[in-house]
Amino acid sequence: MKNPSFSPDNASDSELVILAHGGNKEAVDCLLERYKKLVRKLSAARFIAGGDPDDILQEGMIGLYKAIRDFDPENDSQTSFFTFASLCINRQMVNAIEASQRQKNRALNDSVTLTEEEWDNLSGESEISPERIVLEREGKDERLEKIRKSLSLMEQAVLDLHLSGYDYREISKMLGKPPKAIDNALQRIKKKAREQM
């Protein structure tokens, strides 16, 4: 039964998250609407290779939905929902951009069938086998994932943005943190990466 005095527009983010965790669709919709401008702002200068302009916006909305799902408003040591949502949105978009750049299925999508004669002419000419290339790429992905697991949420967001080509000043603006905090996070990331290697 709905509370007649309840208005999602007047509720705090934490109150809405609690309601959303309880299955209140109206609270989820209110948070999605409330943070849509942030998603648009964070996605403005980004794009997914080979995708539509709305693809990156959609990824940002998925990140926002994950933030609503994963935020714990009762954890006093956690950051505000705004900061948490910003990190989740950025991470989702950066992961989508990285995935598009890896183009895992490009070879399958762009493949051309060779005749037996063409295959015979090509076989044996390549010094580096396709298997070796795939194994090297998988090794890099595994090392990066191992490093990510050792990082805090903020450090993961900083790493994702840094790998996307943003400098620490741009990352500072995106995450709403002082440039020195971003620089310190990058130094910690480098130290943890060295420890993982």
Side-chain angles (χ1 to χ4, degrees):
M1 184 171 174
K2 279 189 177 179
N3 180 352
S5 64
F6 172 73
S7 171
D9 296 331
N10 298 331
S12 72
D13 291 343
S14 293
E15 291 170 330
L16 289 173
V17 170
I18 290 168
L19 290 169
H21 289 178
N24 187 317
K25 186 178 177 337
E26 189 179 5
V28 174
D29 291 342
C30 184
L31 282 166
L32 291 173
E33 188 62 35
R34 190 177 283 181
Y35 281 88
K36 191 184 290 184
K37 285 183 183 178
L38 175 64
V39 174
R40 287 187 191 282
K41 181 180 176 186
L42 294 174
S43 67
R46 296 177 172 168
F47 65 94
I48 295 177
D52 294 330
D54 288 339
D55 288 347
I56 193 69
L57 184 64
Q58 184 65 36
E59 289 294 334
M61 292 303 287
I62 291 169
L64 175 56
Y65 184 79
K66 288 179 178 179
I68 295 168
R69 180 194 68 194
D70 297 339
F71 185 72
D72 181 4
E74 295 172 1
N75 183 352
D76 292 337
S77 66
Q78 196 170 26
T79 60
S80 69
F81 179 75
F82 176 86
T83 303
F84 185 78
S86 298
L87 291 171
C88 292
I89 293 165
N90 271 314
R91 182 177 177 131
Q92 185 71 31
M93 289 190 289
V94 168
N95 287 344
I97 291 167
E98 286 176 352
S100 74
Q101 291 170 344
R102 281 193 296 263
Q103 299 177 354
K104 287 185 176 179
N105 296 324
R106 184 172 183 193
L108 293 174
N109 295 334
D110 296 344
S111 65
V112 177
T113 305
L114 297 177
T115 65
E116 281 188 52
E117 184 181 338
E118 290 169 325
W119 176 253
D120 290 340
N121 290 338
L122 288 175
S123 60
E125 293 179 10
S126 175
E127 292 179 19
I128 301 175
S129 71
E131 294 87 0
R132 182 174 168 199
I133 293 170
V134 168
L135 289 173
E136 286 176 5
R137 285 184 187 158
E138 285 178 356
K140 288 178 186 175
D141 289 345
E142 287 172 10
R143 286 192 300 271
L144 183 59
E145 194 54 39
K146 187 176 178 185
I147 292 168
R148 274 185 212 277
K149 288 179 182 175
S150 70
L151 303 178
S152 69
L153 244 166
M154 182 189 162
E155 290 168 347
Q156 289 175 8
V158 169
L159 176 62
D160 290 339
L161 292 169
H162 181 69
L163 291 175
S164 294
Y166 294 101
D167 67 28
Y168 74 97
R169 287 182 195 93
E170 294 170 314
I171 297 170
S172 166
K173 288 178 186 173
M174 290 173 154
L175 298 181
K177 300 280 186 187
K180 185 63 180 166
I182 303 303
D183 188 41
N184 289 341
L186 286 170
Q187 296 308 316
R188 288 192 307 272
I189 292 166
K190 288 176 186 174
K191 181 181 178 201
K192 290 178 181 180
R194 281 192 296 270
E195 290 169 359
Q196 294 294 329
M197 297 301 182

